[in-house]
């Protein structure tokens, strides 16, 4: 696809020139163990917020605010535990320019060397031979957050004006449920965020390891449980086996009526709600760089249910799936225990896609499971309920923001990015879209093998440096009105 190319080479050259400083800035961020799930480390999460404030001040941001979210709701060991603040800041306030809001998070997953890390997780290690940086938060999400700051530093050094007004929103509880963020976004929609034209999130990854992507869709997730209870206490199978109704037997039967071993959902009406596949959408899958071999490598097995790229990706991104997750209350240890559980709880979820209505889906699930229960004629008690839900999100991959991001990606990587969706969920995407009434773009920095929540989390230096170029280039093309 041809486009009028901007001369961004001076910016790109400046990013390359500042590479040592950019690596050092990320190293300092990684050194702060901002683990939101660990109450004892909450001061470190707050320290990370103040680190960002200091960086923002030094770069020339204004109207910097630390938004207090109050105390963290139970369950907590410390009832007075304060939620970490949300960092808001602006760069530029020209009414003639578009305004882009960038979101990221400064908290990270827990990490200990004893978990199996090859290096200390909170001491960033640069493997110069492989050009890889290791450390907790390198890719999720401190690398991308610091990347936006690097973009500003490069512009400052060049003496270039930023082509848009920039608003940043950095939170410290993303890895622990983003407590307080939805309300803040809604409260600030007509206050701090008033006038925002577009939201960009860099908190996801390439599909693979070689080709950059732009992400325009996420599946939602409705999580359910089936409760079956009978005896007043766990019983001995030698005494009661064969003479009482066993809850586990009923539950296994019910869970077997939800999905077959080929992945087909057995609940009537679910597939009827799925948006039909258009030729234009189908064509987006043609050039995506992916194969069944990559799926097998990622799963560590050869158990793929589909044998070609397009079928795999469609079932991962744009069709619903039902997964069985576990049974609470049943014996699960090693060895042999002849117990009949008195009460068991089966957990399962459905990943939702356009145009599945969440409330209608709940109704279909409840009706189906209840019907199968009635067919059993069991003397046990039964209940099925929703635990939580989160809606799907899909955007237009041909809108101005995606077009601008595609042009910037082509400038930096010399390839047209793949347009991808993801099977997982990033709930804040939908919150921004609904509360602000603007388009959202997911612009990833890291690769598919970065191990975001795993041991030895990493970010390749080329992805970090070229990622900064891509973020900055996007602002230029979007500011021009692509």
């Amino acid at each position: 696809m041809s486009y009028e190319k901007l001369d961004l080479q001076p910016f790109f050259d400046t990013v390359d020139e500042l590479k040592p400083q950019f690596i050092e800035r990320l190293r300092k961020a990684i050194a702060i163990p901002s683990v939101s799930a660990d109450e004892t480390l909450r001061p470190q999460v707050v320290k990370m917020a103040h680190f960002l404030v200091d960086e923002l001040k030094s770069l020339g941001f204004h109207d910097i605010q630390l938004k207090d979210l109050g105390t963290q709701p139970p369950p907590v060991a410390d009832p007075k535990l304060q939620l970490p603040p949300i960092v808001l800041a602006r760069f530029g306030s020209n009414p003639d320019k578009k305004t882009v809001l960038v979101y990221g998070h400064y908290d990270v997953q827990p990490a200990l060397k004893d978990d199996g890390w090859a290096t200390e997780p909170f001491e960033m290690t640069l493997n110069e031979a492989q050009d890889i940086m290791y450390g907790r938060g390198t890719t999720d999400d401190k690398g991308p957050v610091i990347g936006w700051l690097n973009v500003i530093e490069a512009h400052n050094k060049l003496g270039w004006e930023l082509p848009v007004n920039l608003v940043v929103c950095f939170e410290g509880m993303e890895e622990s449920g983003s407590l307080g963020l939805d309300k803040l976004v809604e409260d600030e929609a007509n206050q701090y965020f008033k006038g925002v034209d577009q939201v960009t999130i860099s908190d996801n990854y390439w599909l693979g390891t070689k080709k950059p992507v732009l992400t325009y869709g996420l599946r939602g997730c409705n999580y359910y449980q089936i409760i079956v209870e009978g005896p007043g206490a766990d019983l001995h199978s030698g005494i009661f086996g064969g003479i009482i109704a066993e809850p586990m037997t009923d539950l296994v039967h019910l869970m077997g009526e939800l999905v077959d071993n080929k992945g087909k959902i057995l609940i009537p009406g679910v597939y009827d709600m799925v948006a039909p596949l258009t030729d234009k959408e189908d064509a987006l899958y043609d050039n995506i760089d992916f194969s069944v071999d990559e799926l097998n490598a990622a799963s560590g097995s050869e158990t793929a249910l589909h044998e070609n790229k397009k079928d795999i990706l469609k079932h991962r991104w744009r069709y619903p799936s039902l997964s069985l997750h576990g049974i609470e209350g049943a014996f699960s240890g090693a060895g042999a225990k002849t117990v009949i559980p008195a009460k068991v709880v089966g957990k399962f979820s459905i990943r939702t896609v356009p145009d599945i209505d969440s409330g209608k889906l709940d109704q279909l699930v409840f009706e189906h499971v209840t019907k199968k229960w009635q067919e059993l004629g069991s003397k046990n008690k039964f209940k099925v309920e929703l635990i939580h839900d989160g809606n799907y999100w899909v955007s237009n991959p041909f809108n101005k923001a995606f077009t601008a991001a595609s042009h910037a990606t082509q400038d930096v990587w010399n390839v047209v990015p793949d347009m991808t969706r993801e099977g997982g969920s990033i709930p804040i995407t939908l919150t921004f879209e609904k509360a602000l009434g603007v388009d959202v773009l997911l612009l990833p920095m890291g690769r598919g093998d970065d191990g975001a929540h795993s041991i030895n989390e990493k970010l390749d230096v080329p992805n970090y440096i070229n990622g900064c170029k891509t973020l900055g280039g996007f602002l230029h093309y979007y500011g021009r009105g692509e």
Side-chain angles (χ1 to χ4, degrees), residues 226-240:
I226 300 171
I227 304 168
V228 182
E229 55 184 320
D234 290 355
L235 301 175
H236 191 301
S237 66
I239 301 171
F240 292 96

Side-chain angles (χ1 to χ4, degrees), residues 302-374:
E302 294 189 8
T303 55
L305 292 175
H306 308 281
E307 295 304 319
N308 69 77
K309 171 185 74 177
K310 291 183 80 166
D311 283 342
I312 291 169
L313 295 178
K314 286 173 188 175
H315 283 87
R316 180 169 172 172
W317 296 344
R318 66 105 49 221
Y319 292 126
S321 63
L322 190 154
S323 298
L324 307 178
H325 300 300
I327 297 177
E328 181 185 334
F331 169 59
S332 60
K337 187 178 180 183
T338 57
V339 67
I340 297 172
K343 175 183 175 181
V344 283
V345 183
K347 314 288 179 95
F348 68 98
S349 72
I350 298 176
R351 294 285 173 174
T352 60
V353 298
D355 292 320
I356 289 179
D357 178 88
S358 183
K360 175 67 173 173
L361 178 65
D362 296 343
Q363 183 184 343
L364 292 176
V365 169
F366 299 157
E367 288 176 354
H368 175 74
V369 178
T370 301
K371 179 173 179 284
K372 294 301 176 183
W373 172 259
Q374 290 168 344

